[in-house]
Amino acid sequence: MAVEEEGIRVFQSVKIKIGEAKNLPSYPGPNKMRDCFCTVNLDQEEVFRTKIVEKSLCPFYGEDFYCEIPRSFRHLSFYIFDRDVFRRDSIMGKVSILKEDLQQYNNRDTWFQVQHVDADSEVQGKVHLELRLSEVITDSGVICHKLLARVLECQGLPIVNGQCDPYATVTLLGPSRSEAKKTKVRKKTNNPQFDEVFYFEVTKPCSYNKKSHFEIEEDDVDKLEIRVDLWNASNLKFGDEFLGELKIPLKVLRQSSCHGAWYFLQPRDNGKSVKPDDLGSLRLNVVYTEDHVFPSEYYSPLRDLVLKSGDVEPVSASAAHVLGEVCREKQEAAIPLVRLFLHYGKIVPFISAIANAEVNRTQDPNTIFRGNSLTSKCIDETMKLAGMHYLQVTLKPIIDEICEAHKPCEIDPVKLKDGENFENNKENLKNYVDRIFDVITKSGVSCPTVMCDIFFSLRESAAKRFQGDPDVRFTAVSSFIFLRFFAPAILSPNLFQLSPHHPDPQTSRTLTLISKTIQTLGSLSKSKSASFKENYMAAFYENFNEQKYADAVKNFLDLISSSGRRDHKRIEQPILLKEGFMIKRAQGRKRFGMKNFKKRWFRLTNHEFTYQKSKAGDHPLCSIPIENILAVEKLEEESFKMKNMFQVIQPVRTLYIQANNCVEAKDWIDILTKVSQCNKKRLTVYHPSAYLNAHWLCCKATSENAPGCTPCTGGLPANIQLDIDGDRETERIYSLFNTYICKLEKMQEACGSKSVYDGPEQEEYSTFLIDEPRETYKTLYQIIDGVKTLEQEHAQYKRDKFKKTKYGSQEHPIGDKSFQSYIRQQSEVSAHSI
């Protein structure tokens, strides 16, 4: 979900690895240990939660989280919670990173000190305020000053304990005075509209001599300030919760008698000091990306250059291959390249070309595709994208069973627990391996066509290169489908969307043993038992030395790499796309009954959208066929005074749903839109608000069947597996080329050196793979030219934005440190250019 800025789309995303915490404070009791979990928050909105690690002060989480960020934010925060024996959660501390500081830690494992959490420091949101200083002439002709303070509205206030009933207090403060006034409470909204005006007498005529008022000289006006405090009106006995404050000195009215601006709410200093090192630390790896994507025509030269890479001879002279050469890690280049080639339907010829070149450079058939080359990373990424639902159908049912059953499967005699039986454990493990092996080797017909086409190309290249090795046509394919696809998915199901969290230690050990065995079964190596370092694994593998296992693997590999295998039929078996708890409003299917809100477990497959009372419920309470979904759109917050709501529009009625947070809401809207995109009766207009009290809140139409008043949002690709924005991927490729521009220029020098000097290669150029210097030089010239042109467009966009942006506007409120930093950067750039 992108934000539009005058034709420029802005995307934000974050990829997080939550590693472990260390030296957390002990529990004040005899046990001392804690049951801890960690949350990821955009400001104070929770968007992800790890599993609970029990009885530890150094919990290891090992969890990964990725999301597209659908709104602006100031802080990326991580809260560590402790759950007590009564299942109550208490905050132990937090790590908070300002948005503008995220680049400092980009893609680096970093230990952060856990900070104390104080209610007075937990603030978010912004306030729109106007101040006006006016002169008033009294009846006696004496001039005095009055201050008008107008609180217009607030946005993005935090929701406290599930509710937000905010009000504001406005206080005039001076050396010897404090005068406070208060707005009305606005119920059930974190974006309150106040529009209330308050008057304060700033200076009095000298003849005014009531003791309760003040005689202040005009010069003393500069010593006064207005303070606005936001509060949440609480029904609890502890009093109202502080939401934030702002202080404005009246000297802002020195230049002009009127001042209006947006302000970020700030924490208040409560005078308490906490030692910074007494709450432990948390290891994180954060990758924050912000893409500014121009209209498609801006990218044509660079995009066309990259897309023709599969046709360039030799392929090492192509733009895509050059990107792999200059990037620090091949994975960096592989992700946007694969997505771009998939989007334009050119992934198979591109991978065929780079794979064929790699095979021709390989000397030993036993090492084919074993390195972390651009080819390997590109195939890995293609399998992840195109094969995700294939994994869901094949492995998810049995992975779920393993995670829930907790059967002991340890076969290392040293690690056996008291009371465990080795033979029983071995039998449990063998049963799991047999079942997983069976579902994999019988799943060939479900393998996505794009993967089969790539495997066919690998098989042909390997067989042609190593004609004396009859097994190379199998090992070339098995090195990917088993070694890099099924085995990693079994080992870390959370990374392949097969489970929501990293498994517990016992289950993780079971999956490790299964993964090792499946990987070896698929490798077809001559001496399999010898491939295990551990004696107990070699002994266990003796159970799988029968020829039937090797035959099953070869038949499976033959099927998925056959040129004649094509399966364009729709998969009849339902594919689970997404599931989870949300809150829904009753649809009014019963003639009489309350239209209240209830928590339900929702499931979406490629066939239907259902909900039921609990995750384990047998029968859905409601089932909506995919063909009955006419539109899926956001619902305006004012409809029910609830955030993160969306609507699933059906022919007869509309289902209103509230997601847990903004990221979940976006994910559900996207996947529901994609899966229903091809429905013939999809709407073109809809109502962005609900139908309440006999009229639509948005357009005031009284008929419940009145046509919509707002165009539906743009459709997404109907292919539920791949949702790719070609321009965004090209922008990322440009960004990588621009990051490594010095390496591109060094590579250009290397091409010039090689083409005119055929002696020993200079050491500084030896890192580049250059087969044809002249062709590579031409490609590099075009890349650098295209990158510099796009860099000029980005620089002009930033200059134009800088000229138009006002500090204190709704987009950049006063107190926005990122904008202040941006102003300094632009000033430095301007000074440098002058």
Side-chain angles (χ1 to χ4, degrees):
M1 190 177 294
V3 178
E4 286 272 354
E5 294 181 359
E6 298 182 3
I8 311 298
R9 292 177 298 142
V10 182
F11 294 89
Q12 300 177 101
S13 64
V14 65
K15 182 181 178 183
I16 300 165
K17 291 184 179 179
I18 304 173
E20 60 187 311
K22 275 190 177 179
N23 304 322
L24 298 179
S26 59
Y27 187 77
N31 186 14
K32 296 188 180 298
M33 294 293 107
R34 293 183 183 267
D35 298 343
C36 303
F37 64 92
C38 182
T39 66
V40 180
N41 295 54
L42 294 173
D43 296 319
Q44 291 180 49
E45 182 182 15
E46 181 183 321
V47 295
F48 178 73
R49 178 178 292 206
T50 69
K51 66 181 184 300
I52 296 174
V53 178
E54 297 181 345
K55 298 177 182 177
S56 176
L57 298 179
C58 297
F60 177 80
Y61 297 109
E63 303 227 19
D64 293 59
F65 173 66
Y66 172 86
C67 76
E68 298 282 333
I69 301 174
R71 63 170 179 85
S72 60
F73 70 101
R74 294 175 68 193
H75 297 87
L76 181 65
S77 301
F78 303 84
Y79 290 81
I80 299 177
F81 287 82
D82 174 40
R83 176 164 291 183
D84 64 18
V85 291
F86 301 108
R87 300 187 64 80
R88 294 174 303 194
D89 300 332
S90 56
I91 297 178
M92 298 173 62
K94 72 172 182 178
V95 169
S96 187
I97 309 171
L98 278 168
K99 178 182 175 180
E100 54 267 26
D101 293 338
L102 287 170
Q103 286 301 325
Q104 295 180 27
Y105 311 107
N106 193 55
N107 205 17
R108 289 191 292 115
D109 275 9
T110 307
W111 284 97
F112 293 89
Q113 289 296 324
V114 178
Q115 303 295 323
H116 179 70
V117 176
D118 190 309
D120 288 343
S121 68
E122 294 292 285
V123 302
Q124 71 175 56
K126 51 192 175 184
V127 182
H128 191 191
L129 189 72
E130 283 185 8
L131 299 177
R132 189 186 300 273
L133 191 63
S134 55
E135 292 182 345
V136 179
I137 302 176
T138 65
D139 293 339
S140 60
V142 180
I143 297 175
C144 65
H145 290 87
K146 282 196 174 184
L147 176 70
L148 175 151
R150 183 184 179 195
V151 183
L152 288 99
E153 60 179 309
C154 297
Q155 287 189 354
L157 299 179
I159 296 173
V160 183
N161 297 322
Q163 58 101 35
C164 189
D165 297 334
Y167 68 90
T169 60
V170 184
T171 308
L172 180 65
L173 294 169
S176 57
R177 69 182 291 186
S178 175
E179 186 180 351
K181 300 186 180 183
K182 174 183 168 184
T183 68
K184 294 177 182 177
V185 175
R186 296 296 188 266
K187 292 283 188 180
K188 296 183 179 179
T189 177
N190 68 336
N191 298 314
Q193 300 284 330
F194 292 112
D195 201 7
E196 294 192 36
V197 178
F198 303 100
Y199 291 94
F200 298 91
E201 292 188 357
V202 176
T203 62
K204 300 285 183 184
C206 293
S207 59
Y208 204 102
N209 53 22
K210 278 192 177 181
K211 291 183 179 179
S212 59
H213 292 80
F214 303 90
E215 296 180 4
I216 302 177
E217 297 295 330
E218 287 188 32
D219 291 343
D220 291 335
V221 170
D222 284 357
K223 298 177 183 178
L224 299 176
E225 68 178 12
I226 280 285
R227 188 184 75 207
V228 179
D229 296 274
L230 267 294
W231 299 85
N232 178 43
S234 172
N235 296 322
L236 301 175
K237 61 181 179 181
F238 305 112
D240 298 344
E241 290 104 348
F242 175 75
L243 299 181
E245 71 173 17
L246 63 94
K247 294 179 181 178
I248 308 172
L250 290 197
K251 61 185 178 184
V252 299
L253 299 171
R254 190 184 293 165
Q255 300 293 330
S256 170
S257 61
C258 184
H259 171 76
W262 283 85
Y263 285 82
F264 271 133
L265 287 170
Q266 303 296 332
R268 71 178 170 192
D269 184 9
N270 57 16
K272 298 177 184 176
S273 61
V274 180
K275 288 196 294 185
D277 298 325
D278 60 357
L279 296 177
S281 54
L282 181 65
R283 180 166 60 86
L284 301 167
N285 187 306
V286 180
V287 180
Y288 171 73
T289 306
E290 187 174 301
D291 297 319
H292 292 78
V293 181
F294 290 90
S296 189
E297 59 269 19
Y298 285 74
Y299 298 106
S300 294
L302 184 61
R303 181 176 58 237
D304 295 345
L305 185 65
V306 172
L307 286 175
K308 72 176 187 182
S309 294
D311 302 322
V312 174
E313 288 287 346
V315 74
S316 61
S318 69
H321 195 277
V322 166
L323 183 63
E325 286 295 295
V326 297
C327 282
R328 186 179 60 182
E329 295 180 5
K330 305 294 185 190
Q331 183 77 5
E332 273 186 299
I335 292 172
L337 285 175
V338 165
R339 294 176 71 86
L340 184 70
F341 281 108
L342 274 170
H343 181 69
Y344 287 98
K346 295 190 173 185
I347 190 66
V348 175
F350 168 64
I351 286 183
S352 298
I354 59 174
N356 190 56
E358 182 172 333
V359 168
N360 289 334
R361 287 194 296 270
T362 304
Q363 302 301 317
D364 183 356
N366 293 315
T367 62
I368 195 166
F369 299 127
R370 290 301 169 96
N372 288 323
S373 63
L374 182 63
T375 305
S376 299
K377 293 299 182 184
C378 283
I379 297 175
D380 288 353
E381 192 61 28
T382 304
M383 291 191 300
K384 266 190 178 181
L385 285 169
M388 199 57 74
H389 296 294
Y390 175 38
L391 280 178
Q392 294 275 335
V393 172
T394 310
L395 292 182
K396 193 174 191 312
I398 191 165
I399 294 291
D400 286 345
E401 182 186 327
I402 293 169
C403 292
E404 290 169 9
H406 289 287
K407 287 185 179 179
C409 296
E410 183 56 72
I411 56 172
D412 182 355
V414 178
K415 294 181 179 179
L416 279 179
K417 295 179 182 177
D418 292 341
E420 286 187 355
N421 183 284
F422 176 82
E423 290 300 324
N424 288 345
N425 287 10
K426 188 174 81 169
E427 191 59 35
N428 289 339
L429 183 61
K430 184 176 186 305
N431 179 46
Y432 281 146
V433 171
D434 276 330
R435 289 173 60 193
I436 288 181
F437 180 81
D438 196 50
V439 295
I440 289 174
T441 53
K442 290 181 179 177
S443 69
V445 293
S446 301
C447 187
T449 302
V450 67
M451 288 171 60
C452 294
D453 290 342
I454 289 170
F455 295 150
F456 172 70
S457 173
L458 299 181
R459 166 180 165 165
E460 293 299 297
S461 292
K464 184 178 178 182
R465 174 75 173 87
F466 300 105
Q467 297 180 16
D469 189 333
D471 286 335
V472 75
R473 64 195 183 101
F474 296 116
T475 55
V477 178
S478 69
S479 63
F480 285 103
I481 194 71
F482 280 100
L483 185 66
R484 294 175 176 266
F485 187 62
F486 283 122
I490 296 167
L491 183 65
S492 303
N494 55 305
L495 300 184
F496 291 81
Q497 299 174 23
L498 296 176
S499 71
H501 298 296
H502 186 73
D504 61 78
Q506 180 180 316
T507 305
S508 184
R509 174 64 176 164
T510 298
L511 294 175
T512 300
L513 297 173
I514 296 170
S515 178
K516 282 184 175 184
T517 312
I518 291 293
Q519 180 178 318
T520 309
L521 278 168
S523 68
L524 294 171
S525 59
K526 306 293 188 294
S527 177
K528 294 182 180 179
S529 295
S531 65
F532 291 108
K533 297 176 184 176
E534 308 93 342
N535 292 331
Y536 62 86
M537 282 301 299
F540 175 69
Y541 196 81
E542 293 298 325
N543 295 284
F544 302 96
N545 271 335
E546 299 175 50
Q547 186 60 33
K548 67 176 183 179
Y549 290 102
D551 291 343
V553 169
K554 289 183 177 180
N555 290 337
F556 169 67
L557 296 174
D558 257 335
L559 180 59
I560 64 172
S561 62
S562 169
S563 62
R565 182 219 169 273
R566 293 291 183 273
D567 183 18
H568 296 293
K569 295 179 182 178
R570 180 179 173 178
I571 301 172
E572 291 303 320
Q573 182 178 357
I575 300 172
L576 179 63
L577 303 176
K578 190 171 177 62
E579 60 182 344
F581 276 114
M582 291 189 289
I583 295 171
K584 66 95 186 174
R585 182 177 186 256
Q587 301 178 71
R589 289 179 293 133
K590 296 178 181 178
R591 187 170 181 182
F592 302 103
M594 294 283 290
K595 289 189 177 181
N596 53 1
F597 289 87
K598 291 184 178 178
K599 189 175 183 179
R600 294 288 182 253
W601 180 262
F602 285 81
R603 287 171 58 88
L604 174 66
T605 71
N606 55 329
H607 291 181
E608 61 183 356
F609 183 46
T610 65
Y611 63 79
Q612 54 205 46
K613 282 190 176 181
S614 63
K615 183 177 180 180
D618 294 328
H619 300 291
L621 297 172
C622 176
S623 175
I624 304 171
I626 294 302
E627 54 267 25
N628 283 359
I629 298 177
L630 305 183
V632 184
E633 298 287 348
K634 282 184 175 181
L635 186 71
E636 289 183 354
E637 183 182 333
E638 291 305 308
S639 296
F640 300 107
K641 306 291 185 185
M642 297 167 70
K643 291 177 70 69
N644 304 318
M645 288 201 71
F646 63 95
Q647 50 185 320
V648 179
I649 304 171
Q650 308 164 67
V652 178
R653 60 181 64 87
T654 299
L655 175 61
Y656 297 120
I657 303 173
Q658 183 188 33
N660 298 315
N661 54 63
C662 64
V663 172
E664 275 286 298
K666 177 190 180 299
D667 288 348
W668 276 107
I669 292 170
D670 282 356
I671 193 72
L672 280 163
T673 301
K674 279 185 273 184
V675 79
S676 62
Q677 189 68 39
C678 291
N679 290 351
K680 294 178 181 178
K681 295 182 180 179
R682 277 188 65 84
L683 298 179
T684 55
V685 290
Y686 77 106
H687 291 284
S689 293
Y691 184 80
L692 296 173
N693 301 322
H695 71 279
W696 291 100
L697 298 181
C698 42
C699 60
K700 309 305 179 187
T702 54
S703 170
E704 193 169 0
N705 298 320
C709 57
T710 303
C712 289
T713 51
L716 294 164
N719 185 343
I720 59 174
Q721 293 181 344
L722 303 174
D723 174 19
I724 295 171
D725 185 322
D727 294 335
R728 185 180 180 186
E729 300 310 325
T730 312
E731 167 65 25
R732 288 198 173 170
I733 290 169
Y734 147 74
S735 182
L736 285 170
F737 274 135
N738 196 39
T739 300
Y740 296 105
I741 191 73
C742 293
K743 278 193 174 183
L744 287 171
E745 290 168 347
K746 186 70 71 176
M747 194 173 183
Q748 206 173 22
E749 290 177 20
C751 290
S753 174
K754 286 193 75 167
S755 61
V756 298
Y757 173 65
D758 202 24
E761 191 168 30
Q762 294 184 43
E763 187 176 343
E764 61 177 327
Y765 301 147
S766 62
T767 56
F768 302 121
L769 175 63
I770 302 172
D771 293 325
E772 175 47 65
R774 291 180 184 274
E775 284 300 318
T776 308
Y777 187 92
K778 288 180 188 175
T779 301
L780 285 162
Y781 179 85
Q782 291 174 289
I783 292 171
I784 293 170
D785 182 60
V787 167
K788 288 185 174 178
T789 301
L790 277 170
E791 175 59 18
Q792 289 172 1
E793 295 291 348
H794 276 275
Q796 186 61 48
Y797 162 70
K798 288 178 181 176
R799 285 193 294 268
D800 293 343
K801 184 181 176 185
F802 178 67
K803 289 176 185 175
K804 294 174 185 176
T805 303
K806 179 186 174 185
Y807 190 46
S809 65
Q810 187 174 353
E811 294 76 22
H812 297 285
I814 293 172
D816 183 353
K817 293 182 180 178
S818 63
F819 185 66
Q820 292 171 326
S821 173
Y822 176 68
I823 289 174
R824 285 196 299 272
Q825 290 174 7
Q826 291 303 310
S827 300
E828 290 168 6
V829 169
S830 299
H832 180 71
S833 61
I834 291 169

